[in-house]
């Protein structure tokens, strides 16, 4: 189907939000923006934002009736969430903080560093560049939190020196055999890195409604 000027502008707006949030590098943003304004059909527009969230955190489909990927439940479509270009490969914070959460794409190797600051890495709605992902967390007199969904295959091998590298994710949840394998390594020096499994509020609500519906039946 042919794309309208309004649709091209909507895609451009999503791209501007993405570069402002650090999801796109400037070079990639310029390439996608140029392609958006040159696009003539929905088929040319859709790939430009497939790995980006729309304002409000939902996937921004171009085609009517397209559905976002299922996330955070026993029916997670992991195949849909593996592949594509990474939107972030590193995060740094000194005397401040950083956050990576929502619908973002984790690079094959993601490095996070904080000094006298904090960081949050949330994988519950994330996509993954590859089936094997390594997240390296380093903190000096700071803190970092990594939140993963119950179904994700996670291995934690961090070291704490005068600090802690906790793994509350071990022994909890039931990792899916189809999920990516995420290895979390690093060092916490006079600081802390914590890893925990936790569902999103939306997932908890869906589970509650499902349980309620089963009970009514």
């Amino acid at each position: 189907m042919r794309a309208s000027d309004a649709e091209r502008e909507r895609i451009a707006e999503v791209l501007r939000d993405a570069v402002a949030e650090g999801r796109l590098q400037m070079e990639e943003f310029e390439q996608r923006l140029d392609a958006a304004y040159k696009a003539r059909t929905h088929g040319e527009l859709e790939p430009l934002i497939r790995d980006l969230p729309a304002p409000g955190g939902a996937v921004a489909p171009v085609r009517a009736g397209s559905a976002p990927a299922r996330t955070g439940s026993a029916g997670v479509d992991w195949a849909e969430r593996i592949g594509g270009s990474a939107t972030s490969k590193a995060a740094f914070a000194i005397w401040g903080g950083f956050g990576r959460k929502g619908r973002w794409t984790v690079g094959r190797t993601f490095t996070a560093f904080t000094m006298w600051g904090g960081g949050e890495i949330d994988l519950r709605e994330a996509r993954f560049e590859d089936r094997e992902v390594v997240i390296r967390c380093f903190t000096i007199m700071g803190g970092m939190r990594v939140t993963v969904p119950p179904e994700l295959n996670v291995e934690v091998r961090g070291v704490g020196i005068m600090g802690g590298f906790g793994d509350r994710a071990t022994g909890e949840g039931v990792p899916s055999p189809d999920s990516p394998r995420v290895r979390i390594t690093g060092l916490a020096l006079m600081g802390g890195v914590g890893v925990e499994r936790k569902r999103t509020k939306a997932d908890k609500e869906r589970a509650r409604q499902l349980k309620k519906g089963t009970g009514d039946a």
Side-chain angles (χ1 to χ4, degrees), residues 97-158:
F98 73 80
R100 295 290 186 276
K101 54 185 177 180
R103 295 182 183 275
W104 62 295
T105 303
V106 189
R108 291 182 182 86
T109 301
F110 180 88
T111 303
F113 175 80
T114 62
M115 178 182 289
W116 298 308
E120 179 181 4
I121 302 171
D122 193 331
L123 304 179
R124 290 176 293 178
E125 296 181 343
R127 294 176 58 88
F128 301 86
E129 186 178 20
D130 203 346
R131 184 169 293 277
E132 296 281 338
V133 169
V134 177
I135 296 179
R136 305 187 302 171
C137 300
F138 302 95
T139 182
I140 300 175
M141 299 181 69
M144 206 176 299
R145 180 176 62 185
V146 183
T147 307
V148 304
E151 302 84 13
L152 188 64
N153 186 354
V154 178
E155 177 186 357
V156 180
R157 291 187 176 181

Side-chain angles (χ1 to χ4, degrees), residues 135-206:
I135 296 179
R136 305 187 302 171
C137 300
F138 302 95
T139 182
I140 300 175
M141 299 181 69
M144 206 176 299
R145 180 176 62 185
V146 183
T147 307
V148 304
E151 302 84 13
L152 188 64
N153 186 354
V154 178
E155 177 186 357
V156 180
R157 291 187 176 181
V159 177
I161 300 177
M162 297 181 67
F165 208 110
D167 177 18
R168 293 179 58 188
T170 299
E172 296 185 9
V174 182
S176 169
D178 299 327
S179 80
R181 181 171 177 266
V182 178
R183 188 153 48 92
I184 301 174
T185 67
L187 171 69
L189 177 61
M190 300 179 68
V193 175
V195 183
E196 62 177 344
R197 295 185 185 272
K198 187 176 181 181
R199 293 192 183 278
T200 64
K201 291 182 179 179
D203 286 335
K204 290 180 180 178
E205 179 61 22
R206 280 195 292 270

Side-chain angles (χ1 to χ4, degrees), residues 42-66:
H42 286 183
E44 293 173 296
L45 285 175
E46 189 174 28
L48 300 175
I49 60 168
R50 184 175 293 150
D51 58 347
L52 298 175
V59 171
V62 173
R63 293 193 191 121
S66 59

